[in-house]
Amino acid sequence: MKFMQLKIPTLGLLLLTATLSATPALAATVTYNLRADLGSITMPDATVVPVWGFADDTAGANSGTVTVPGPQLKAAPGDTLVINLSNRLTVPVSIIIPGQRLIPTPTSAGGRVMSFANEVAAGATSALTFTPLKAGTFLYESGTNHASQLPMGLYGPLVVGPGVTGQAYPPTATNAGTTYDREEVLLFSDILARFDKTLNKYVTYNSDMVAGSNPNIANYSTLYYLINGKSFPDTLTPGVSAPPGQRTLLRILNASGHNYMPEISGTYYDAAATPQPHAFSTQVIAEDGNLYRFAKPGVAMVLPAGKTLDAMLDLSGAGSQGYYAVYDRRLGLTNASKFPGGMLTFVASWGPTENCSPFKGDVNGDGRVDLIDVILTLRLVLSGGYNANADVAPVSLSGLPCGNGAAGGALTIADALLLLQKAIGLNSY
Amino acid sequence: MKRINNLTIGCAFMLLASASTASAYVQYPYDIDNNPQCWTNWVALGVGVCPSGQARGPEDVDWNNDGIYDAPSLLPNGKPSATYMHLSASDGMAKMADGTDMYIFSFSNLTGTRDADIMSAMFHAEISAPTIDVSEGQSFYLTLSNIGMVIRPDLFDPHTVHFHGYPNAASVFDGEPMASFGIRMMQELTYFYQPYGPVYDALNAQYVDPGSAGTYMYHCHIEATEHMEMGMLGNSIIRPAQDGTSVPNVADGKTYTKFAYNDCLSGTDSLCGSTGYDVEKAIQFTAFDPVFHQADFDAQPPPFATITPVYFLLNGRSYPDTISPTPILNSEGYASQKLDAKVTATSGQTILLRLSNLSVKDFVNIEAPGLTFNVIGMCARQLRNPGPDGFYGTADDQDLSYTANSVMVGPGESFDVIVRTTGVPVGTYYLTSRNLDQLNNNGVERGGAMTEITIQ
Amino acid sequence: MNNSKMLWRLLLVALLVVASPICKAHAMINGLTGTSFNFTAKSGHITAGDGASLLFWGFADTSPTGSGVVQYPGPTLILREGDTVTVTLSNQLAEPVSLLFPGMTMISSTAPVFNGGSKAKLSSLAPEALPNGTQTYTFKATKPGTYYYESGSNQPIQLRMGLFGGIVVRPATYKALPLPNVVPYGLNAFADPPANTTRHPQVRTNYNDSTGIGGVAYNPSNAGDLTTAYDREYLVIASEMDPDFQKWMEFGGTYDLSKWRSNYWFFNGRNAPDTMDMPNSAVLPTQPYNTMPLAHPGERVLIRLVNMGQEFHPFHHHGNHSRVIAVDGNLLSSNPAASGADLAWLAFTETLIPGKTMDTIFTWTGANLGWDIYSDSPRVRPYEYMADHGKTYQPNILPAQPQTTPPVPTPALKLPPQAVPVILPTIEQIIAGANYSGSPYLGMSAPLTPGEGGFNPLNGYFYMFHSHAELEITNNNTFPGGMLTMMGIVPWPDPALGPLDNLDPATDMYMP
């Protein structure tokens, strides 16, 4: 998704930035046009869930599509972020960004707070300004009756930075590992539902909200567990990539009201006889946009509701390819109570010229590896033809069908044999 | 919740009062009203003339029978070297923010109450219970009077005070009844604690322990799941010996006289003043399941397996009651919830939030959008490590404090959070659970575990 | 707390303390050692703390010398740093099972299993053993620390059913250290590491005893680094069960996984009071591991904490703070080569986090109470705090102020009294617990009302170690139970009775 960004350097902000940080970039005003509106998302089991979310209206009023999470906003440290928020919902809405400067302008109704700040009435449009921006990973989210509105989908990620290319935060003497080669955003959230005995099916919190009832959140439990608005296996498209030899910054956010536990399958394979112990390591380097004094290594991360973490997935010492699971250790691994699903995705770790996908071998693209794929491959072997998807042998020492495509690529009987083993269940790769 | 029949209370009161043979025996070996012979009010209240010798008042108790009530000496910071508190344990009602009365067990403050009036605390349980607030170096005498339950006279439950987190506790004063004992109904028990200051190793001329200051909590540990769900919970603070001294904080350029911890054990300590504050608030999270409380009210077995909290409380109140400056009155007209949870500071002041959680089930992730949390303490210890040499205040110490937008507080945990307001826009911010199901009052939206932080 | 079963179990506690052979089996972590293991995944039943029988899936040690009995949690693997380890998994369950070893360096394949190559048909996160099949895993235990293994298949079901276990990796320097086996106690015993002084009587430790039970959890930074040294160690694996889920798995019917709600909470596969029963108890054949920490004052007790459940559990220990020295097998250190555990923190409640481990060191001395836990005995006891004793040394319990020069003891300040400074209630006024000796002093006793106390033969101090989500100290609607045990501080033998070295070398426990 691309966004038009208006960068207007201003003298005042320039000075402000200069005093706040040593960021060499010019402070700019970054403007986004967002619309809060009704939309829907579809779960892997084809359930359609109505949502309230944010849409990117850069191309014109009401032009964008509501997504959950909302569009990823980007800006540089010291920038001024202006969000022109158009509210097409029937209730007031707002945007706050915990961790960024907020001018408190609360509104109330019935003697109780409605919005913490930045309220935009139903049908209205307002320019919301956040300045100066602090570097890091942040959630932008509704600050209006948020216990009610956040489960509907009114949240998204804001990435501020890097101030210096490839450097998540200015490194410190004790937390020097802030440089990265590539970054991925993983935003965790969920969909709540109740089981309706009369209808004999789950009814989502969102459906009840859209239907105009005033649901009590206590009556709902989590039915779908989402990463970037998707449940497994939809999370694999496009999925997460972290090539060996590189450092990948995972920007991890939790927009839900529950506490989750992302765990990266920390097993690591290296063909060398004396593997480096930290060849695969995950280090949480920052929390809520604040660089830790010391990075925290570990295989699992505590991700409470509303929290953001920056985790460095360091494969710079990794000697082999891998396909590493990222999953919620609190077992949010189901779609409507069925495994597999939920907060589960994989980190594809292989080089740019390689393809080690465990889904290789589906030569005819029918969604499975079977005898037809074996026959098609055999034909190619006999005719001297090539299909990268059938190039599965040799299997890497980590057990992935990397093939030899990177080394020139030709199909041999070994590929067909391996596919045959796969098709009849003798080999899982 | 049913209305309480006043007649029931009266009958129960008389029953228990007549059954009472022991009177309150508050143990505190010092004179605190400058009358070394007896308690001045003993005379003023017309109870009797001031007797000689073995006279007892609710304050001046000559526990060692030497006939003299000495004033406690003063600590270097001017505070008395001894202090005491007298708590009752009873039942009562608490008013939820949606108007529901909830049957509770808890403590109330009897400090200074004369013997004959102690039973008046029956059915006056308070949530949060009165705050224990003591200083390092003070000998602390805590008397607990178990005065019985009005609604549940069938429950002959003992009670205790568990000073949760107290370091190197001895079993006898730990309040955990398996390893010690609970006090029977109509009896008193005095606990003794000696919150200690920085421990100096004279041989090495270094501090080996920064002292016992910190944010604690207390609760009854009898049938703990039941008595805690029923509300026998309170804040507890030990203040550092450093309080009263002026220590500049290098980081923010301010000089403080109040601190969460002894953060400046040597002049070269880089963390000097880092726990200093101008305004503080102890805020304790808990949660109530009215079904459980009703079952106790109705003398039914406590339904542990189905506990589902629907009231999420800060200092015994849910929003918007959390911000009320006046006590919340229960349906009996008693001020059952005296503590608010609102924080007010002027721009530039430094706020210390002492956050704790005594829910029997729920973790709470607390945030205040727009404000930044500097987490400087956890579990009543400053987030620092003395380094390889084991000595505090030396160059190899490690600062373990961190900055975040929110802090997850588990049941039985405490965190100390500094919020600096210099340069922060004035106005009202909201300190709120980010666990979204904790933000309603039994289904009424915009309630629960939320309060205000106003910066003027 | 008049649960008769609880009292019966506490009687066993008493036995543990008195009988040294049982102690010997106790003050260590029960588990399997070696480099080659045979596991079989199968089903069995456990007995909950309230007597309920619950279906579970677990692992059995089916090596030639193994018990062959499926257990909850699975066998603990006790490995050495640098070991290359092989685990052969046989599967007698009706669905595929696999093993993940987070934190280990895998040598065998780590590829996930997608049936038919279909994205939607994920079967396992690692190579799997099909029903009646086998799978072999090879890994290197690269780093010392506390770890776990768990199923990588159908985790929402299989982890709730119990397919997990603990791993302890001992450092290469475990028993070969230049650490002192004798450290001073007294005034400076609270320094970490203890200050180098010979002014005080000394205590023998287990850190470097080739026959003893102590050691180091991680490789020390230098000869003086005692930050991970311990005298006794215990492993605590937390987990939980929803009885309705377990019944559904056993008997079928309708069940909504989104409504899963735990009502049994386990330490090492047992609910209280069974946590305090003996290990390998005949009445708990599928739950061989207990949780019953015991120590003398001043000893360092390493508690390795693992959460294999899906919920957060706030692990609260009475008595004192613990020092958290490692998380997920990573020493909390700014520089492991030089600084020891200098990023460790102190806590009285450590939240156990699903899929994470924590190593903590607990020490209790009774220091700084303002009274002497040994009453007015003229003798100085091991780890006795001089200021509390108040006889030999200048008290340093002064409420000192921050200053750059050492505080000068002020004569005007009252010395702390040696005895408990209040009059305790009479036995008629109290209801005493089973572990109360009747005396406030360590090693002493006094009469109690018949039927109270009695389960504390050496007159130790007991401390509840439990989940502070207090709902979790119940067993499916019955209090007490769940994640609860009693930690015992057993008095050191009286030095007047003989040298400390007369202790049982394997357990260091005093035998009356």
Side-chain angles (χ1 to χ4, degrees):
Chain A
M1 202 171 289
K2 291 185 172 180
F3 304 99
M4 292 282 286
Q5 296 187 8
L6 299 171
K7 292 223 163 200
I8 308 165
T10 65
L11 185 60
L13 285 167
L14 194 66
L15 291 171
L16 191 53
T17 307
T19 55
L20 283 173
S21 70
T23 309
L26 298 181
T29 296
V30 180
T31 303
Y32 286 97
N33 296 322
L34 297 184
R35 186 179 87 252
D37 207 343
L38 182 65
S40 69
I41 58 175
T42 304
M43 296 295 105
D45 60 8
T47 300
V48 176
V49 179
V51 297
W52 293 351
F54 294 110
D56 171 30
D57 273 359
T58 301
N62 306 327
S63 64
T65 303
V66 166
T67 59
V68 173
Q72 182 182 329
L73 310 185
K74 287 192 72 77
D79 280 357
T80 295
L81 171 66
V82 176
I83 299 173
N84 294 312
L85 177 60
S86 164
N87 181 7
R88 296 247 294 175
L89 297 170
T90 56
V91 295
V93 75
S94 61
I95 287 179
I96 61 171
I97 308 175
Q100 299 290 356
R101 188 178 167 90
L102 180 82
I103 312 289
T105 50
T107 60
S108 66
R112 289 169 289 145
V113 64
M114 180 58 81
S115 298
F116 296 150
N118 297 336
E119 182 172 299
V120 180
T125 300
S126 292
L128 311 178
T129 302
F130 302 88
T131 188
L133 290 182
K134 177 179 146 185
T137 306
F138 300 91
L139 276 173
Y140 69 89
E141 60 185 20
S142 171
T144 302
N145 193 2
H146 65 319
S148 164
Q149 293 196 357
L150 291 184
M152 294 300 291
L154 287 163
Y155 48 77
L158 164 67
V159 173
V160 182
V164 174
T165 304
Q167 193 179 81
Y169 298 86
T172 63
T174 54
N175 191 353
T178 65
T179 58
Y180 62 93
D181 300 302
R182 52 194 320 285
E183 66 180 306
E184 298 272 0
V185 171
L186 297 173
L187 189 149
F188 288 67
S189 61
D190 54 28
I191 300 289
L192 310 177
R194 60 181 171 86
F195 191 80
D196 189 309
K197 288 197 172 108
T198 313
L199 300 173
N200 196 33
K201 65 169 191 177
Y202 291 109
V203 176
T204 63
Y205 175 87
N206 303 47
S207 300
D208 284 343
M209 279 287 281
V210 169
S213 70
N214 190 16
N216 178 359
I217 199 170
N219 298 329
Y220 297 78
S221 49
T222 307
L223 195 64
Y224 297 103
Y225 302 85
L226 315 177
I227 298 177
N228 292 341
K230 298 174 177 176
S231 296
F232 181 88
D234 292 354
T235 52
L236 297 182
T237 311
V240 182
S241 173
Q246 293 196 0
R247 295 165 62 85
T248 301
L249 179 68
L250 303 177
R251 297 183 183 271
I252 301 173
L253 310 91
N254 182 356
S256 80
H258 301 107
N259 308 322
Y260 290 107
M261 266 314 298
E263 173 159 353
I264 300 181
S265 170
T267 52
Y268 164 68
Y269 173 82
D270 194 322
T274 53
Q276 298 168 42
H278 300 292
F280 179 118
S281 85
T282 313
Q283 300 224 357
V284 182
I285 62 166
E287 174 175 340
D288 294 336
N290 301 287
L291 189 69
Y292 284 140
R293 192 166 283 109
F294 293 91
K296 296 182 180 176
V299 295
M301 292 165 257
V302 194
L303 186 65
K307 183 70 72 186
T308 77
L309 300 173
D310 291 310
M312 193 65 76
L313 182 55
D314 182 3
L315 294 166
S316 57
S320 73
Q321 305 88 349
Y323 199 61
Y324 307 108
V326 179
Y327 60 101
D328 172 35
R329 186 52 184 73
R330 301 200 69 193
L331 307 183
L333 303 173
T334 51
N335 298 334
S337 300
K338 292 188 180 66
F339 177 86
M343 290 169 172
L344 168 64
T345 189
F346 285 85
V347 176
S349 181
W350 46 78
T353 62
E354 296 175 307
N355 179 3
C356 302
S357 165
F359 309 112
K360 274 170 75 175
D362 178 16
V363 180
N364 63 353
D366 65 353
R368 59 208 164 111
V369 177
D370 54 18
L371 290 175
I372 296 171
D373 299 306
V374 178
I375 292 165
L376 290 172
T377 303
L378 272 174
R379 282 185 190 163
L380 288 169
V381 171
L382 293 173
S383 66
Y386 184 74
N387 180 326
N389 213 16
D391 185 5
V392 292
V395 168
S396 79
L397 290 170
S398 53
L400 294 172
C402 294
N404 52 18
L411 296 182
T412 68
I413 194 72
D415 294 297
L417 201 57
L418 191 58
L419 286 174
L420 179 62
Q421 290 173 338
K422 170 79 176 175
I424 62 176
L426 288 178
N427 192 321
S428 61
Y429 291 131
Chain B
M1 187 67 68
K2 295 169 188 170
R3 285 281 296 184
I4 309 300
N5 185 324
N6 280 326
L7 188 62
T8 310
I9 301 171
C11 288
F13 180 91
M14 284 161 57
L15 177 74
L16 290 168
S18 62
S20 169
T21 51
S23 54
Y25 188 56
V26 175
Q27 299 187 43
Y28 181 66
Y30 298 107
D31 173 33
I32 59 170
D33 62 356
N34 294 319
N35 181 343
Q37 294 308 310
C38 71
W39 185 45
T40 304
N41 283 347
W42 194 260
V43 182
L45 288 168
V47 176
V49 296
C50 187
S52 60
Q54 301 302 309
R56 292 196 290 109
E59 296 175 5
D60 300 339
V61 174
D62 179 17
W63 62 274
N64 62 359
N65 289 325
D66 71 354
I68 296 177
Y69 311 128
D70 298 321
S73 59
L74 297 184
L75 299 175
N77 62 10
K79 291 180 178 173
S81 61
T83 182
Y84 81 104
M85 190 173 187
H86 185 189
L87 292 175
S88 69
S90 182
D91 56 357
M93 305 299 279
K95 179 78 83 184
M96 299 294 100
D98 63 355
T100 303
D101 251 20
M102 184 84 69
Y103 181 53
I104 61 170
F105 303 165
S106 193
F107 307 98
S108 66
N109 198 344
L110 287 175
T111 309
T113 305
R114 60 179 195 157
D115 290 16
D117 294 337
I118 280 170
M119 295 311 294
S120 67
M122 282 196 77
F123 212 59
H124 284 176
E126 295 171 12
I127 175 83
S128 286
T131 300
I132 290 176
D133 191 339
V134 294
S135 295
E136 286 178 355
Q138 288 186 324
S139 300
F140 177 49
Y141 297 80
L142 174 65
T143 299
L144 172 65
S145 291
N146 180 354
I147 58 173
M149 313 265 201
V150 168
I151 301 298
R152 295 297 304 277
D154 60 311
L155 279 185
F156 292 97
D157 279 10
H159 292 292
T160 67
V161 170
H162 168 52
F163 198 132
H164 177 104
Y166 191 79
N168 268 308
S171 298
V172 65
F173 297 136
D174 192 35
E176 193 287 298
M178 293 248 290
S180 58
F181 45 81
I183 191 72
R184 289 181 185 272
M185 199 180 288
M186 310 318 297
Q187 306 295 340
E188 289 81 34
L189 158 62
T190 297
Y191 295 89
F192 176 80
Y193 308 96
Q194 176 72 65
Y196 63 90
V199 178
Y200 188 73
D201 172 354
L203 292 174
N204 291 289
Q206 298 286 358
Y207 287 95
V208 292
D209 185 328
S212 60
T215 301
Y216 297 83
M217 53 207 97
Y218 76 97
H219 58 88
C220 176
H221 218 298
I222 299 278
E223 310 276 342
T225 314
E226 179 187 11
H227 285 208
M228 289 177 64
E229 166 66 29
M230 291 303 287
M232 304 191 78
L233 323 164
N235 292 290
S236 178
I237 298 166
I238 296 179
R239 299 187 181 280
Q242 188 174 307
D243 266 9
T245 65
S246 291
V247 176
N249 176 342
V250 181
D252 70 3
K254 294 179 58 174
T255 295
Y256 295 97
T257 58
K258 294 184 286 189
F259 309 88
Y261 295 95
N262 295 305
D263 58 26
C264 196
L265 291 172
S266 79
T268 57
D269 192 337
S270 62
L271 295 181
C272 279
S274 62
T275 75
Y277 63 90
D278 302 302
V279 174
E280 72 172 329
K281 196 76 182 180
I283 296 180
Q284 188 168 83
F285 171 86
T286 191
F288 280 169
D289 170 14
V291 176
F292 189 100
H293 290 244
Q294 186 68 52
D296 240 312
F297 185 91
D298 291 339
Q300 297 301 306
F304 297 116
T306 53
I307 284 182
T308 305
V310 298
Y311 294 107
F312 302 93
L313 311 172
L314 302 176
N315 288 347
R317 306 179 182 186
S318 52
Y319 181 83
D321 285 355
T322 47
I323 63 172
S324 169
T326 55
I328 304 298
L329 307 182
N330 64 19
S331 55
E332 304 295 308
Y334 181 71
S336 52
Q337 290 128 293
K338 293 188 169 68
L339 296 180
D340 65 44
K342 182 176 166 77
V343 183
T344 304
T346 55
S347 182
Q349 284 188 320
T350 299
I351 301 167
L352 171 66
L353 301 174
R354 299 177 180 271
L355 305 175
S356 63
N357 179 350
L358 279 176
S359 154
V360 301
K361 189 172 188 290
D362 288 74
F363 282 69
V364 59
N365 198 43
I366 298 173
E367 67 172 10
L371 300 177
T372 301
F373 288 177
N374 182 208
V375 185
I376 53 104
M378 188 183 119
C379 287
R381 284 294 173 272
Q382 187 182 358
L383 279 167
R384 75 184 299 166
N385 184 293
D389 67 4
F391 301 131
Y392 286 82
T394 53
D396 69 349
D397 284 18
Q398 291 288 359
D399 179 6
L400 305 180
S401 68
Y402 65 98
T403 303
N405 295 339
S406 63
V407 57
M408 184 173 80
V409 188
E413 291 184 333
S414 68
F415 285 84
D416 298 295
V417 170
I418 291 275
V419 177
R420 299 184 198 283
T421 65
T422 301
V424 172
V426 299
T428 294
Y429 297 83
Y430 290 83
L431 185 77
T432 167
S433 168
R434 186 54 174 72
N435 297 105
L436 302 174
D437 53 354
Q438 296 170 350
L439 294 173
N440 65 84
N441 300 327
N442 198 9
V444 179
E445 67 172 27
R446 293 177 287 133
M450 181 158 64
T451 185
E452 293 178 357
I453 298 179
T454 295
I455 300 173
Q456 299 164 332
Chain C
M1 198 172 289
N2 52 6
N3 183 321
S4 61
K5 190 179 177 190
M6 176 68 95
L7 292 179
W8 165 241
R9 297 299 183 202
L10 289 167
L11 177 60
L12 295 171
V13 173
L15 291 171
L16 297 182
V17 176
V18 174
S20 73
I22 303 173
C23 282
K24 195 165 184 168
H26 255 272
M28 61 177 71
I29 294 173
N30 297 92
L32 309 178
T33 56
T35 57
S36 179
F37 304 95
N38 284 283
F39 281 4
T40 299
K42 50 184 177 179
S43 65
H45 286 82
I46 58 165
T47 303
D50 59 358
S53 177
L54 297 168
L55 177 74
F56 81 106
W57 295 348
F59 298 106
D61 172 13
T62 44
S63 64
T65 56
S67 71
V69 178
V70 63
Q71 62 177 79
Y72 180 71
T76 297
L77 301 184
I78 301 173
L79 311 175
R80 288 291 290 252
E81 177 184 354
D83 280 354
T84 297
V85 177
T86 300
V87 178
T88 301
L89 171 65
S90 302
N91 183 7
Q92 292 183 10
L93 294 171
E95 61 182 69
V97 175
S98 60
L99 284 174
L100 300 176
F101 299 92
M104 301 293 127
T105 300
M106 293 307 293
I107 293 174
S108 56
S109 166
T110 60
V113 180
F114 291 88
N115 286 333
S118 165
K119 288 179 180 174
K121 291 187 178 168
L122 173 70
S123 181
S124 297
L125 300 181
E128 64 189 19
L130 292 168
N132 296 313
T134 64
Q135 183 65 252
T136 299
Y137 304 88
T138 308
F139 61 86
K140 188 168 178 180
T142 317
K143 296 187 299 170
T146 304
Y147 301 90
Y148 58 88
Y149 60 86
E150 64 180 12
S151 173
S153 307
N154 194 10
Q155 289 176 314
I157 301 296
Q158 293 193 3
L159 294 185
R160 285 180 168 105
M161 289 301 287
L163 288 165
F164 49 75
I167 298 178
V168 170
V169 180
R170 301 204 183 288
T173 52
Y174 177 48
K175 292 286 191 191
L177 293 173
L179 297 178
N181 262 13
V182 176
V183 296
Y185 67 81
L187 186 65
N188 295 301
F190 306 102
D192 189 6
N196 180 21
T197 169
T198 56
R199 275 184 60 181
H200 309 291
Q202 298 187 324
V203 169
R204 195 176 133 270
T205 73
N206 273 309
Y207 308 148
N208 196 27
D209 186 334
S210 60
T211 60
I213 52 175
V216 286
Y218 293 85
N219 293 308
S221 300
N222 53 58
D225 175 20
L226 294 179
T227 53
T228 80
Y230 61 88
D231 295 293
R232 298 168 192 281
E233 67 173 334
Y234 299 91
L235 173 69
V236 179
I237 299 176
S239 60
E240 68 270 340
M241 283 186 182
D242 174 355
D244 294 334
F245 172 80
Q246 309 301 127
K247 283 176 196 150
W248 173 64
M249 289 296 292
E250 183 162 17
F251 304 115
T254 57
Y255 182 81
D256 180 354
L257 197 59
S258 74
K259 298 284 188 195
W260 182 91
R261 178 194 170 103
S262 55
N263 259 314
Y264 287 108
W265 295 274
F266 302 86
F267 282 158
N268 289 333
R270 296 183 182 182
N271 309 122
D274 298 337
T275 48
M276 291 171 269
D277 200 343
M278 287 181 289
N280 302 309
S281 163
V283 297
L284 298 166
T286 57
Q287 297 148 278
Y289 300 151
N290 74 340
T291 310
M292 190 66 225
L294 296 170
H296 294 305
E299 287 190 322
R300 293 157 185 257
V301 184
L302 172 68
I303 300 180
R304 301 174 180 269
L305 298 163
V306 183
N307 187 352
M308 287 287 88
Q310 68 170 103
E311 299 176 326
F312 298 117
H313 301 292
F315 181 80
H316 173 60
H317 35 80
H318 288 230
N320 208 358
H321 286 71
S322 274
R323 192 175 290 273
V324 181
I325 60 163
V327 173
D328 290 354
N330 295 291
L331 183 69
L332 293 169
S333 176
S334 67
N335 181 0
S339 302
D342 69 338
L343 301 181
W345 67 81
L346 291 163
F348 51 60
T349 304
E350 294 101 33
T351 288
L352 310 185
I353 297 161
K356 286 183 89 70
T357 74
M358 231 185 295
D359 295 325
T360 76
I361 291 183
F362 175 89
T363 302
W364 186 93
T365 61
N368 290 305
L369 288 174
W371 54 280
D372 193 339
I373 56 168
Y374 299 103
S375 184
D376 57 353
S377 164
R379 289 189 297 274
V380 176
R381 311 301 179 89
Y383 280 99
E384 183 167 1
Y385 187 58
M386 292 303 145
D388 289 345
H389 194 88
K391 290 205 170 91
T392 310
Y393 297 102
Q394 191 72 262
N396 62 357
I397 195 172
L398 295 174
Q401 320 136 73
Q403 49 200 311
T404 53
T405 53
V408 179
T410 310
L413 282 170
K414 283 193 170 185
L415 292 182
Q418 296 155 21
V420 170
V422 293
I423 297 168
L424 294 173
T426 65
I427 58 173
E428 291 80 13
Q429 291 177 291
I430 62 170
I431 296 176
N435 293 117
Y436 186 51
S437 70
S439 167
Y441 303 111
L442 187 64
M444 300 176 75
S445 65
L448 285 168
T449 303
E452 297 179 11
F455 298 97
N456 185 357
L458 287 187
N459 304 318
Y461 281 178
F462 281 83
Y463 295 101
M464 191 180 278
F465 279 26
H466 64 113
S467 169
H468 213 277
E470 304 270 342
L471 178 58
E472 298 176 354
I473 58 170
T474 62
N475 292 331
N476 198 19
N477 220 26
T478 307
F479 179 94
M483 289 178 167
L484 183 161
T485 190
M486 298 299 285
M487 195 273 182
I489 295 291
V490 181
W492 287 97
D494 191 324
L497 298 178
L500 290 167
D501 282 345
N502 282 359
L503 296 182
D504 175 346
T507 64
D508 238 7
M509 277 296 169
Y510 171 56
M511 292 169 291

